[in-house]
Amino acid sequence: MASVLRTLSLRNLTAQAQLFHQVQRNKCSGTIGFIGLGNMGGPMALNLLKSDHKVVAYDVMDAATKAIADAGAEIASTPSAVAQKASQIITMLPNSSHVEEVYMGKNGILESVQDGSILIDSSTIHPASSKKVAEAAAAKSAFYMDAPVSGGVGAAKAATLTFMVGGEKEPFEKAEKLLAHVGKNVVHCGAVGNGQAAKICNNMLLAISMIGVSEAMNLGMRLGLDSKVLAGIVNTSSGRCWSSDTYNPVPGVLEGVPSSNNYQGGFGTALMYKDLGLAQLAASDMNAQTPLGASAHQIYRMLCEKGYGSKDFSAIYKYLSESE
């Protein structure tokens, strides 16, 4: 009987130990690292805090950390320090070089990444850069996924972003649960790099459609049509598209969009130019013909040169309407 009791006692202790370690793992899983607290990353990190996650964050600009620090996040001194404290990390950075530096540079994430960490990059970069970082992460026994977003600053604040994710299936299923706290749609696009591919294709089409809507609206108004009447016809006819019915570039046609706020907020012209450049690089790599994409790239380059870089990308209408 005594031996039986000792066996049961040992089993209970083992079960308690397993439960303890499970609780500790759950606690760790609630700590999210976030790097890049700009117009998109800042609201995303705040939404993670609102969903009761512990957040440890980093940004190269101290001013960018204030809002999230005030909301209760811990601020780390380097990306490496973030990786020491979190096994799930989201990054939102300006371009490919920034991503490679944050992950693979001095004091970068991979310098101290934990085994089995889930690394989610929501920047919009070249697919080749995503694959490069993924290989470096795999060598450290971590899982990297590219997960660029669509929806803009408004969707980041409202936690209604769409994530286009490239990566292995099993870590994607874990990442999906996390991204559901900051987005509405999380789509698995296939292997690493496919998320970026989906994003740059979407944005190339968006730029082309915005230019088309702006040209049509400018021509119609010069012909004497009322802007709301013309927009109403387009939005119930074959020309209907998101650039017209949801994000119309003509001031006063829709409320709550950048065109009705002097083209402030939204998705910057300089960022659209960057994404179109990525699309053209990818098109060159794949020998894919994108004549309208190439034209859009040059048009947005010209807009940046003329001082529209900080304006929303729908400011193409403003440029056309003011040109003779």
Side-chain angles (χ1 to χ4, degrees):
M1 177 63 74
S3 63
V4 172
L5 289 175
R6 281 196 298 272
T7 300
L8 290 174
S9 178
L10 287 171
R11 287 177 178 173
N12 286 337
L13 287 172
T14 301
Q16 289 174 347
Q18 290 175 339
L19 179 60
F20 172 79
H21 290 302
Q22 181 63 48
V23 169
Q24 294 305 305
R25 284 195 293 271
N26 288 341
K27 285 183 178 178
C28 291
S29 69
T31 301
I32 311 302
F34 206 106
I35 299 173
L37 302 168
N39 291 336
M40 294 292 291
M44 290 168 66
L46 285 172
N47 283 327
L48 286 171
L49 283 171
K50 292 175 184 176
S51 60
D52 295 326
H53 287 89
K54 180 180 178 182
V55 173
V56 54
Y58 171 79
D59 193 282
V60 68
M61 301 295 294
D62 290 340
T65 65
K66 185 179 186 308
I68 192 167
D70 290 346
E74 178 184 353
I75 305 303
S77 58
T78 64
S80 178
V82 172
Q84 291 173 4
K85 298 182 178 183
S87 60
Q88 299 176 87
I89 301 172
I90 299 174
T91 53
M92 176 62 87
L93 303 162
N95 58 46
S96 298
S97 63
H98 291 101
V99 171
E100 293 184 19
E101 179 67 21
V102 163
Y103 279 90
M104 301 185 296
K106 183 179 179 181
N107 294 319
I109 291 170
L110 297 184
E111 195 172 272
S112 58
V113 69
Q114 302 173 42
D115 287 354
S117 289
I118 301 295
L119 309 175
I120 305 168
D121 180 44
S122 289
S123 318
T124 299
I125 62 175
H126 196 291
S129 290
S130 291
K131 294 175 183 178
K132 180 179 179 180
V133 177
E135 290 177 0
K140 295 279 189 173
S141 300
F143 299 97
Y144 170 94
M145 284 163 281
D146 56 311
V149 302
S150 179
V153 175
K157 292 179 179 179
T160 57
L161 291 165
T162 291
F163 288 87
M164 294 154 271
V165 187
E168 296 179 32
K169 187 65 175 176
E170 184 176 346
F172 166 76
E173 291 172 353
K174 297 178 181 178
E176 184 178 21
K177 295 177 182 178
L178 172 59
L179 295 177
H181 294 289
V182 288
K184 185 177 181 180
N185 301 299
V186 184
V187 183
H188 188 223
C189 299
V192 169
N194 281 10
Q196 299 296 346
K199 174 64 184 291
I200 61 178
C201 288
N202 178 77
N203 276 21
M204 182 178 72
L205 178 57
L206 174 60
I208 293 168
S209 70
M210 182 57 74
I211 294 169
V213 170
S214 296
E215 289 184 356
M217 294 297 294
N218 181 54
L219 174 60
M221 292 168 67
R222 292 193 181 202
L223 289 170
L225 287 166
D226 177 82
S227 60
K228 290 187 177 181
V229 170
L230 178 55
I233 291 169
V234 170
N235 295 341
T236 55
S237 302
S238 56
R240 183 180 183 181
C241 62
W242 186 89
S243 293
S244 179
D245 68 7
T246 303
Y247 211 81
N248 199 282
V250 180
V253 170
L254 295 174
E255 296 180 2
V257 295
S259 62
S260 293
N261 186 36
N262 194 30
Y263 300 96
Q264 299 301 312
F267 186 63
T269 291
L271 289 174
M272 179 57 85
Y273 171 60
K274 182 205 78 170
D275 288 2
L276 288 166
L278 292 173
Q280 288 308 294
L281 284 173
S284 178
D285 290 344
M286 297 295 104
N287 196 28
Q289 298 300 311
T290 57
L292 292 181
S295 294
H297 184 219
Q298 292 308 309
I299 288 170
Y300 277 96
R301 177 189 61 78
M302 176 266 297
L303 284 179
C304 290
E305 291 175 350
K306 291 187 175 294
Y308 289 83
S310 62
K311 296 284 190 181
D312 180 75
F313 80 106
S314 61
I316 177 62
Y317 171 80
K318 178 177 173 64
Y319 169 76
L320 293 172
S321 66
E322 294 176 355
S323 299
E324 295 297 332

